[in-house]
Amino acid sequence: MQQRALGHTRRSVSAIGLGTWQLGADWGQVSEQDAAAVLAASADSGVTLFDTADVYGDGRSESFIGRFLAARAGHDIVVATKMGRRLAQEPENYTPENFRAWTDRSRANLGVETLDLVQLHCPPSAVIDDDATYEALDELVAEGRIAAYGVSVETSAQALAAIARPHVTNVQIIFNPFRLKPLDEVLPAAEAAGVAIFARVPLASGLLSGRYTAQTTFAADDHRSYNRHGEAFDRGETFSGVDFEVGLKAAAELAASLPSGVTLPAATLAWIASRRGVTSVIPGARNVAQAQANAAAAALLDDGFDVEAFDRAVHEVYDRDLRAAIHPLW
Ligand SMILES: NC(=O)c1ccc[n+]([C@@H]2O[C@H](COP(=O)([O-])OP(=O)(O)OC[C@H]3O[C@@H](n4cnc5c(N)ncnc54)[C@H](OP(=O)(O)O)[C@@H]3O)[C@@H](O)[C@H]2O)c1
């Protein structure tokens, strides 16, 4: 597995990491046993980045990771957590006191003195644009509560604002074949600034698995049932903001462009990881088979898969089916 520099830190992270929202909540039931098996399968496959958040299952995801890593002496895994959604996303809640309380809770959940990396969890633009935000985060670093910080964002404009800040280690943004806007400015700006990019929702919440049909249904406690139109949080977090039927057609077109033996999710992850400026892709996995397949997709980067042919298909499909609806929004 390729390992890449994590911004200006001395750490590195795998080209394909693991998203662990699934191990918390909002994706139907994932048992503690399955969660531990997903973490182990990923680590055993060379994954050295786990992305989590204090709100995933109200600490469930962080606690599973903490217990798993405590039993894995000498590991080199970077845990990127997030903070800022335990209260309403109002600018007045992003105070140094709340930052301390939130990071103290994550330190306890993860069982560490110093958090490797904390990302603000999609805060309002006013917070991303405020000098006081970064002063407070710098204090957390000086206090040893966190080693580094970043910002998870919804829009390209927010990403550019965060990238411009000197001590930001990473920006996390939705980037996948159904969401190409980051190619325009965000990835070049991040590369120039040495800011790491984590590409989230890389499989468009599973639409790019190529497994779903018009008959596919999701559990009532799965956001793919209850947030299709942005009822609970930003619509872009569910299926990348793409209408389900439109996404099915686009996924089928992309799958048809692939040589036999290469699956759509593997091609998608390798394509994302191969774009300049991307540091790590963080697919979520609900079971061991998915975790192993996703990590194994990194091999496509080295084994002759024609990623530029897939790139052409991605642009064709996006321009024809998706650009008009998606490009102006995020
Ligand atoms: N605001 C934020 O900062 C934010 C928001 C969203 C996500 N994230 C992070 O980004 C991570 C990734 O995004 P995501 O989980 O929302 O979406 P995603 O990675 O695009 O999709 C995950 C889903 O894809 C399917 N899948 C995964 N691997 C597969 C494989 N090998 N073959 C077939 N299907 C596969 C599974 O669907 P099934 O469930 O149908 O099996 C899985 O639940 C999250 O876990 C989280 O860490 C952060």
Side-chain angles (χ1 to χ4, degrees):
M1 175 81 81
Q2 282 183 18
Q3 305 289 323
R4 297 169 174 182
L6 174 59
H8 295 298
T9 70
R10 296 209 180 115
R11 306 290 301 270
S12 58
V13 292
S14 48
I16 295 181
L18 175 72
T20 66
W21 183 10
Q22 282 73 2
L23 311 190
D26 306 314
W27 294 80
Q29 292 302 311
V30 176
S31 70
E32 177 162 5
Q33 209 176 10
D34 285 347
V38 164
L39 295 172
S42 298
D44 291 344
S45 304
V47 166
T48 59
L49 172 63
F50 291 166
D51 179 74
T52 184
D54 55 2
V55 289
Y56 292 165
D58 196 23
R60 188 175 189 257
S61 174
E62 283 186 334
S63 299
F64 286 166
I65 291 171
R67 287 206 282 281
F68 172 75
L69 292 181
R72 206 169 171 103
H75 73 80
D76 197 20
I77 291 169
V78 171
V79 179
T81 192
K82 307 188 200 77
M83 66 176 179
R85 295 184 85 92
R86 299 186 57 73
L87 295 174
Q89 279 86 70
E90 307 291 348
E92 57 270 25
N93 288 331
Y94 294 79
T95 63
E97 296 70 37
N98 282 337
F99 285 1
R100 287 195 181 90
W102 292 333
T103 49
D104 285 351
R105 187 170 175 277
S106 291
R107 290 161 72 209
N109 284 342
L110 286 162
V112 295
E113 198 53 39
T114 304
L115 298 169
D116 295 334
L117 176 64
V118 175
Q119 305 153 104
L120 291 177
H121 201 163
C122 294
S125 294
V127 172
I128 297 174
D129 293 337
D130 189 350
D131 293 349
T133 301
Y134 304 93
E135 286 160 16
L137 292 168
D138 285 336
E139 276 175 34
L140 297 181
V141 174
E143 291 163 3
R145 282 187 159 85
I146 69 176
Y149 61 79
V151 189
S152 184
V153 301
E154 300 290 4
T155 68
S156 289
Q158 291 174 334
L160 292 170
I163 288 166
R165 297 288 175 163
H167 301 153
V168 165
T169 288
N170 84 311
V171 163
Q172 182 179 137
I173 189 165
I174 298 179
F175 174 52
N176 63 46
F178 292 175
R179 181 74 73 87
L180 299 192
K181 183 86 163 262
L183 287 170
D184 295 350
E185 293 180 81
V186 172
L187 296 184
E191 189 180 18
V195 170
I197 292 286
F198 293 177
R200 79 167 179 272
V201 194
L203 298 176
S205 314
L207 257 179
L208 284 160
S209 72
R211 285 186 299 127
Y212 304 160
T213 69
Q215 282 69 50
T216 302
T217 56
F218 301 91
D221 62 351
D222 187 315
H223 70 101
R224 294 168 294 184
S225 288
Y226 68 75
N227 193 54
R228 280 202 187 188
H229 307 288
E231 296 90 333
F233 43 80
D234 194 281
R235 186 164 66 85
E237 304 295 350
T238 301
F239 299 132
S240 199
V242 171
D243 173 78
F244 189 69
E245 303 283 336
V246 172
L248 288 178
K249 175 172 172 283
E253 290 167 350
L254 287 175
S257 79
L258 289 169
S260 65
V262 179
T263 69
L264 181 58
T268 295
L269 298 177
W271 172 80
I272 296 171
S274 71
R275 296 305 92 187
R276 288 188 67 147
V278 171
T279 302
S280 189
V281 191
I282 51 167
R286 292 206 311 147
N287 55 49
V288 166
Q290 291 179 353
Q292 287 173 336
N294 293 343
L300 290 182
L301 294 169
D302 308 316
D303 82 347
F305 167 59
D306 189 350
V307 72
E308 297 313 323
F310 187 62
D311 181 63
R312 288 190 289 280
V314 164
H315 282 272
E316 266 172 41
V317 170
Y318 183 78
D319 289 349
R320 187 174 58 235
D321 299 345
L322 302 162
R323 179 180 282 273
I326 299 299
H327 220 70
L329 290 184
W330 291 280

